[in-house]
Amino acid sequence: MLELALLLPILITVFLSFVQIIIFLHSSTVTQYAASVAARAYQVYGSRTLESIDYRHVRGAPYTNKGQAIAEAAAEKVIFESLMWEQSKISLNSGVGSANAGISLDRVYKDGNDLGVDGGGTSGTDGVVRVNLITNRPEFEQGVQVTYCMPIVFPGLDALFSTVKERWPCHVQTLGSRYSGVAIVREAYFGREPS
């Protein structure tokens, strides 16, 4: 009984650490896919906004809105739909009882507009997903950089991940969320067709 009492906190910490590492690996994979989808959207639409293509599944800020870049909206959709701990930021435009309640296009995502161009921010809310358009290269080498601020899900593990948080810090400070996490940054380059 004494050995169990001494080992139990260590075993629980090891188990929760493994779960957090699995969450990191899953978040990393989803962020890479989000970067690929955002790069494809950037390749097709450039830095155009949802309003410029008359996208009708929008709401006012901080949700998906008309002023949001298409590439950023694409990255948010992938991340919020794929990571179950982020799904609380999904809202339906049509309501639960309507015929279109389950259609994914009728969903909006609460994250604000966080778009940068070549490392400089054009707008920002310190949200969970940030997109940086990489335009300072030849057209065939342009792409996007997606940053996802992964939370440390188990608060007691902050101390174990302090070195990682110091090296890759990120802070979410708006929209009802306030935490510091680990930044997962992924880039994708599809290039732009010459105009």
Side-chain angles (χ1 to χ4, degrees):
M1 193 68 136
L2 180 62
E3 289 97 359
L4 181 63
L6 292 172
L7 282 176
L8 197 57
I10 296 170
L11 292 175
I12 289 173
T13 303
V14 168
F15 174 74
L16 294 179
S17 298
F18 279 130
V19 171
Q20 186 67 52
I21 289 169
I22 290 168
I23 288 170
F24 172 78
L25 294 173
H26 181 57
S27 299
S28 180
T29 303
V30 167
T31 305
Q32 181 62 53
Y33 180 59
S36 178
V37 169
R40 175 69 177 130
Y42 177 63
Q43 180 186 34
V44 173
Y45 297 105
S47 58
R48 293 171 55 191
T49 63
L50 294 173
E51 183 176 30
S52 71
I53 60 169
D54 200 26
Y55 186 75
R56 63 185 178 90
H57 303 287
V58 294
R59 197 183 284 182
Y63 290 95
T64 306
N65 57 77
K66 291 181 178 184
Q68 192 168 28
I70 298 168
E72 181 190 359
E76 283 182 2
K77 179 177 177 54
V78 168
I79 288 175
F80 292 139
E81 294 286 341
S82 301
L83 301 175
M84 70 179 181
W85 53 90
E86 296 293 355
Q87 291 181 357
S88 63
K89 295 180 178 82
I90 300 172
S91 182
L92 297 175
N93 268 340
S94 58
V96 178
S98 75
N100 295 336
I103 296 176
S104 117
L105 284 178
D106 215 20
R107 299 177 185 191
V108 291
Y109 308 96
K110 184 178 181 181
D111 195 47
N113 296 358
D114 272 322
L115 179 69
V117 178
D118 297 325
T122 57
S123 62
T125 58
D126 286 333
V128 176
V129 178
R130 298 177 191 124
V131 175
N132 181 43
L133 303 178
I134 301 169
T135 63
N136 59 359
R137 297 181 179 191
E139 288 185 349
F140 58 89
E141 292 179 1
Q142 293 180 9
V144 299
Q145 177 185 62
V146 174
T147 303
Y148 169 63
C149 190
M150 181 195 76
I152 302 296
V153 179
F154 305 106
L157 295 179
D158 271 351
L160 294 175
F161 289 93
S162 62
T163 305
V164 175
K165 285 172 65 175
E166 285 174 17
R167 186 161 181 196
W168 295 288
C170 69
H171 304 283
V172 175
Q173 299 179 6
T174 57
L175 310 172
S177 296
R178 189 174 213 88
Y179 64 86
S180 64
V182 177
I184 300 174
V185 181
R186 298 292 179 261
E187 295 179 351
Y189 300 93
F190 282 155
R192 297 267 300 137
E193 287 295 319
S195 345

